Amino acid sequence: MAIISRRTCLSGLGVAAAALGAARAGRVRAAGVPAPEGALQAASQAPARLDITEFQPRSMLHVPATRVERARFPVIDVHTHLGFSGREGMSFAARPETLLPVMDRKNVRMMVNATGGSGRGLDESLERFDRRVPGRFVTFAEPRWEGFNQPGWGQRQAEELGRAREAGARGLKVLKTLGLGLRENGTTGALIKVDDPRLDPMWDACGALRMPVLIHVADPEAFFLPIDRFNERFEELNNHPDWSFHGADFPSFRELVDAFDRIVARHPKTQFIAAHFGLNAENLPSVSERMDRYANLHVDTAARIGELGRQPRFARRVFERHQDRVLFGTDAVPDGHDTPQQVFGDDLYEIYFRCLETEDEYFDYAPAPVPPQGRWAIYGLGLPEGILRKVYHDNAARLLGL
């Protein structure tokens, strides 16, 4: 006897129903009565085609939604960008008076302006934020890369950091220029390796001056893979192909992270904050193991709430295990609309607070109609109050010497 599967049975029933519907529609037409809208197309209509950029599905889940308008404890946002340095000098994204109302509403006690520049630009940053509103802003310096391939650069940079510390800078920010942009001759020649020994005097100076190093040397691992149908960040990279580091002479993701770890091991007296949850939020077991290995390695949550929230149980275990070395950060940029997951404002902070404080399920990780980093939702970690207090404030306060 032939075996009929459920799918075959349902398919047969569908054909029969379509035939019956068509016959009835014919009788209706013969009687001069208009057929119901869509009835004539039901049996033969082809599947609709939709451009993926227009796909904005609405979840059918009915789950509790908790709005956390204000952080449970005062917050130090250790990773924001309020200004940027360039050939024309510093350009600033906002003034303190436009930031403070949001900070006060959200219980953000202090913001760290990570990209404070160097030299005159650093002084402009300090004057604009730290000195104008004492106690609400902290500024980090940046390296001056000019003349890197000249003898004595490391010592000169160490001396420059001493002046920056005296002027009021509290830390050093190193962008992914190191490892992915800086070359032997500026813009030509081989890429400078992250663990190049010429950098050692700079790292040592940060340790001696008690200036933590907030460093970003690798983007998400998907950015180092082909932009194809298997890449979970396809839409993001397709919209921003210049964000890809696949091919050419770029080092691999693993090479960058390993080189960074060698710096951390070589400079145990220097405190390193590996941005974006240890540079590798997609691989929390690896991040946790590295934090076990290096007592001077810290991480921040900046721009990775979308990763932490899609693995909430393991993420919570990492927070519990390393609760003294996880810092709150957002990577916030005022008016940074090209990256919705980083736009400074009430919505951004509420998403972070909801993820860290509640056990809510399946909600957006960015205030955007389409998830900007990948098509997934996140879940709350529900961290206990003792850990929240450390992550929000105490860990950063200790590291910054506040």
Side-chain angles (χ1 to χ4, degrees):
M1 182 173 67
I3 297 176
I4 301 177
S5 69
R6 181 173 181 272
R7 184 178 295 275
T8 302
C9 180
L10 290 174
S11 177
L13 291 173
V15 171
L20 178 60
R24 286 176 175 171
R27 289 197 296 273
V28 169
R29 288 198 306 275
V33 180
E37 184 179 354
L40 299 179
Q41 302 174 355
S44 60
Q45 188 176 31
R49 289 187 174 274
L50 179 68
D51 191 308
I52 188 65
T53 61
E54 299 175 358
F55 184 49
Q56 298 181 21
R58 298 175 181 175
S59 172
M60 294 293 100
L61 286 180
H62 295 263
V63 292
T66 307
R67 185 177 180 187
V68 184
E69 296 187 52
R70 185 175 173 84
R72 194 171 304 175
F73 302 106
V75 168
I76 297 175
D77 188 341
V78 78
H79 191 156
T80 71
H81 299 281
L82 307 182
F84 296 93
S85 56
R87 292 183 178 179
E88 305 301 321
M90 292 297 299
S91 60
F92 294 102
R95 293 181 177 276
E97 51 266 30
T98 64
L99 304 171
L100 287 168
V102 175
M103 294 170 66
D104 291 340
R105 285 196 297 271
K106 301 298 115 181
N107 202 17
V108 177
R109 178 59 194 162
M110 179 178 288
M111 291 177 67
V112 174
N113 177 25
T115 40
S118 61
R120 181 181 298 176
L122 174 63
D123 196 61
E124 291 176 11
S125 297
L126 291 165
E127 187 63 38
R128 186 183 186 92
F129 296 108
D130 305 44
R131 297 168 189 158
R132 184 179 297 181
V133 192
R136 302 303 301 273
F137 297 95
V138 162
T139 293
F140 277 19
E142 296 179 85
R144 192 193 296 268
W145 295 117
E146 292 86 356
F148 177 82
N149 60 355
Q150 300 300 315
W153 178 90
Q155 186 56 43
R156 290 193 299 275
Q157 184 59 40
E159 294 168 358
E160 178 71 19
L161 283 172
R163 290 189 288 270
R165 185 71 175 91
E166 187 175 348
R170 293 295 188 106
L172 178 71
K173 175 67 167 89
V174 178
L175 296 166
K176 61 191 174 194
T177 304
L178 177 61
L180 292 170
L182 182 65
R183 295 178 180 273
E184 281 292 344
N185 301 310
T187 58
T188 62
L191 285 163
I192 304 300
K193 294 184 182 299
V194 172
D195 60 343
D196 191 302
R198 289 172 289 182
L199 296 160
D200 285 343
M202 180 174 74
W203 309 131
D204 285 336
C206 287
L209 294 166
R210 297 189 176 183
M211 297 176 71
V213 179
L214 175 59
I215 181 167
H216 173 188
V217 296
D219 271 344
E221 190 170 1
F223 285 22
F224 295 81
L225 301 175
I227 307 175
D228 59 19
R229 63 194 178 100
F230 301 109
N231 194 317
E232 67 174 356
R233 302 262 188 149
F234 173 82
E235 287 179 271
E236 183 179 26
L237 290 167
N238 200 43
N239 292 332
H240 305 280
D242 56 313
W243 292 3
S244 173
F245 295 106
H246 174 68
D249 65 340
F250 294 117
S252 69
F253 173 82
R254 191 72 260 162
E255 286 173 324
L256 289 167
V257 174
D258 288 347
F260 168 70
D261 285 353
R262 287 192 290 271
I263 295 174
V264 178
R266 211 156 66 210
H267 301 276
K269 294 182 180 180
T270 303
Q271 303 301 313
F272 292 91
I273 307 169
H276 312 302
F277 221 85
L279 314 173
N280 198 6
E282 299 92 337
N283 190 347
L284 293 184
S286 173
V287 173
S288 185
E289 186 276 328
R290 291 161 58 212
M291 295 182 77
D292 284 339
R293 201 185 324 154
Y294 307 118
N296 58 326
L297 177 61
H298 311 254
V299 301
D300 74 20
T301 61
R304 294 299 181 268
I305 209 73
E307 300 294 348
L308 299 172
R310 63 170 171 160
Q311 45 186 331
R313 289 184 289 276
F314 199 94
R316 175 170 169 148
R317 291 198 291 272
V318 175
F319 274 80
E320 291 170 344
R321 182 174 181 85
H322 303 289
Q323 57 188 270
D324 294 321
R325 286 185 285 142
V326 179
L327 285 67
F328 179 89
T330 59
D331 209 13
V333 181
D335 298 322
H337 297 292
D338 284 344
T339 51
Q341 69 276 13
Q342 295 173 243
V343 178
F344 173 82
D346 294 81
D347 291 344
L348 180 68
Y349 282 107
E350 289 184 19
I351 290 171
Y352 274 78
F353 301 159
R354 184 182 182 188
C355 185
L356 297 176
E357 295 187 24
T358 80
E359 294 184 347
D360 282 5
E361 298 184 298
Y362 205 80
F363 56 94
D364 292 335
Y365 60 81
V370 174
Q373 295 174 299
R375 287 183 178 264
W376 57 77
I378 63 172
Y379 304 78
L381 277 61
L383 296 176
E385 288 192 349
I387 294 178
L388 279 173
R389 192 187 297 273
K390 292 178 179 181
V391 171
Y392 276 157
H393 182 274
D394 294 354
N395 293 343
R398 182 182 66 254
L399 208 56
L400 295 172
L402 301 177

